[in-house]
Amino acid sequence: MTLILGIETSCDETAAAVVAETGEPARPWQIRSNVVASQAAIHREWGGVVPELASRQHVRDICGVYEAALAQAGVNLADIGAVAVTQGPGLVGSLLVGVAFGKALAWSTGVPVVPVHHLAGHIESLTLAHGELPLPSAVLVVSGGHTSLYFIEKPGRYQLIGRTRDDAAGEAYDKVAKLLGLGYPGGPAIDRVARSGNDRAFEFPATRLTHADRNAPKPTADGILPAEIARRVDFSFSGLKTAALRLVRERTGAETGTRAGKAASSDDAGARLPAGEVGDIAASFQRAVVEALLDRTFEAARWLDAKSVGIAGGVSANSRLRGDAEARGADQGIPVFIPPIALSTDNAAMIGAAGLRRLRSLGAGAFDFNAEASLALSGGDGDHGSRR
Ligand code: KG4
Ligand code: ZN
């Protein structure tokens, strides 16, 4: 049974983990350690991730995080049988730190190194936490950089059936939080203040994508879903973000196009709103996002006759999304799987898990892969994609 070391440095978390194979097909992997050094405090000051600062901090943290992962697992480097590292997508300077570290470690100890697609990691966090999902499954990956729906008919085969046409859901959370003066990262902040807000206080527009859309691309799920449905399971969040901006301008009395109006789009505009109103806007915005995510996921699941729904990625840490997904699943008689919070947001245990999946289906690969800022995930057995 192989012990794999997972490494993740795609954005602003430096992470390393040790994951073991169990030999049990229904529950194939077990976490031995899962260490994450978050850079949130560094980027908070700037209101978002600053790529150059992120790369530099990964360089500072990677050795200590790796040593802590081995120590917490109670193992030595000689016990590690393979290294898995996030190849992309992400910030290329950040990815490079993990890729260089992972390759050097594997090369020097004579073990294979497995390049892993970040979203394959998020998807495999579900199996890592709950064992193999009942298949076929409709899996929503919802994070700061992605909002994508996958159809999984067999383990390790990821077929993209829907994605966002503009912003990712996590990105919308972060931008609206900034607008409300809630700081970075915005998702957890909106989640918190929304608890005391009225989610019916404001009506946010529900985006419906139809064939009449002028810029509608060829549906991703063509051939998997009927064309009509395929278009309906794409996402769009930029309209919601604009609606929130207008609302804040209205409530703060700022006029559009004037200096004051521009100020309303800056960080402190929301700070001028009464706390109750911030809670109401956050709760109403969150209701709209969660409904959009779940409507499409469950619609796809119904059409695909899925035996389970999975929800993974940073936004799956959201309390309302978790609660509403469970409720819909119970209502529609379809089991819903969501990772525990530590496996929802970026971590290296999920990269170790996806690395083991790939190692077992494709075998050890070559060392000549590079970090890729854009990388598509689709298709073949354990195939983590190609350049976009
Ligand atoms: O998967 P992740 O850690 O990194 C990426 O791959 O992007 O996702 C980060 C995103 C951020 O946009 C963050 O605001 C969001 O996940 N997030 C949340 C919550 N916790 C993290 N969004 C809503 N509610 C949360 N509780
Ligand atoms: Zn992620």
Side-chain angles (χ1 to χ4, degrees):
M1 295 298 122
T2 296
L3 279 183
I4 198 165
L5 176 79
I7 296 168
E8 153 64 39
T9 63
S10 67
C11 189
D12 63 342
E13 253 104 31
T14 317
V18 176
V19 177
E21 279 182 303
T22 63
E24 269 179 64
R27 214 180 175 91
W29 313 304
Q30 188 193 40
I31 300 176
R32 291 291 171 81
S33 65
N34 192 15
V35 179
V36 180
S38 170
Q39 304 178 0
I42 294 168
H43 301 292
R44 186 167 294 133
E45 205 179 317
W46 308 94
V49 178
V50 183
E52 180 61 24
L53 292 181
S55 325
R56 286 168 190 246
Q57 197 59 34
H58 284 306
V59 172
R60 287 189 196 101
D61 286 341
I62 187 83
C63 291
V65 166
Y66 148 75
E67 281 165 7
L70 288 191
Q72 287 179 23
V75 300
N76 298 310
L77 180 54
D79 302 318
I80 299 295
V83 175
V85 60
T86 307
Q87 179 186 15
L91 300 170
V92 77
S94 292
L95 290 162
L96 265 172
V97 178
V99 167
F101 187 88
K103 279 190 195 176
L105 197 70
W107 183 264
S108 64
T109 50
V111 303
V113 61
V114 188
V116 170
H117 192 287
H118 185 75
L119 297 193
H122 277 303
I123 293 170
E124 297 301 354
S125 73
L126 294 163
T127 295
L128 181 59
H130 302 289
E132 297 290 6
L133 304 187
L135 299 179
S137 184
V139 175
L140 172 70
V141 183
V142 62
S143 71
H146 297 85
T147 302
S148 302
L149 201 47
Y150 285 91
F151 179 51
I152 300 177
E153 267 181 305
K154 58 183 237 188
R157 185 139 199 271
Y158 319 108
Q159 295 188 80
L160 182 66
I161 53 172
R163 74 262 179 272
T164 180
R165 301 262 183 94
D166 40 60
D167 293 350
E171 201 178 342
Y173 262 99
D174 292 338
K175 286 178 180 163
V176 170
K178 196 167 172 180
L179 197 64
L180 294 174
L182 297 173
Y184 172 86
I190 290 199
D191 196 350
R192 200 172 49 248
V193 301
R195 281 185 200 140
S196 51
N198 171 9
D199 68 359
R200 304 262 162 193
F202 302 102
E203 204 52 49
F204 278 88
T207 312
R208 272 272 154 222
L209 298 166
T210 66
H211 59 279
D213 267 8
R214 260 176 305 158
N215 299 322
K218 188 175 176 312
T220 317
D222 242 1
I224 304 174
L225 286 170
E228 209 34 51
I229 306 303
R231 282 191 194 92
R232 289 221 300 260
V233 298
D234 269 356
F235 303 92
S236 167
F237 294 104
S238 70
L240 270 182
K241 189 185 62 189
T242 312
L245 174 62
R246 273 209 208 100
L247 187 59
V248 170
R249 280 179 177 166
E250 232 173 74
R251 312 301 291 187
T252 53
E255 287 169 44
T256 317
T258 62
R259 275 194 152 192
K262 292 220 173 73
S265 66
S266 73
D267 299 5
D268 60 354
R272 287 187 269 130
L273 289 169
E277 209 156 285
V278 170
D280 288 348
I281 296 175
S284 303
F285 163 79
Q286 178 159 277
R287 177 169 69 89
V289 174
V290 168
E291 278 177 6
L293 292 172
L294 295 181
D295 283 352
R296 286 157 177 77
T297 305
F298 278 85
E299 179 156 22
R302 255 194 323 275
W303 274 95
L304 296 165
D305 200 15
K307 300 291 176 280
S308 63
V309 160
I311 306 181
V315 181
S316 72
N318 185 263
S319 59
R320 172 140 197 189
L321 180 60
R322 296 171 88 89
D324 286 7
E326 299 285 359
R328 279 208 203 199
D331 199 42
Q332 299 185 17
I334 180 162
V336 173
F337 296 90
I338 306 172
I341 300 215
L343 294 181
S344 285
T345 49
D346 284 352
N347 67 88
M350 68 183 195
I351 303 304
L356 282 170
R357 176 86 83 198
R358 187 172 181 169
L359 188 66
R360 292 299 165 235
S361 58
L362 294 182
F367 273 73
D368 63 354
F369 66 91
N370 210 343
E372 301 280 355
S374 309
L375 196 64
L377 174 67
S378 64
D381 301 335
D383 182 359
H384 285 201
S386 51
R387 265 183 221 214
R388 254 208 300 255

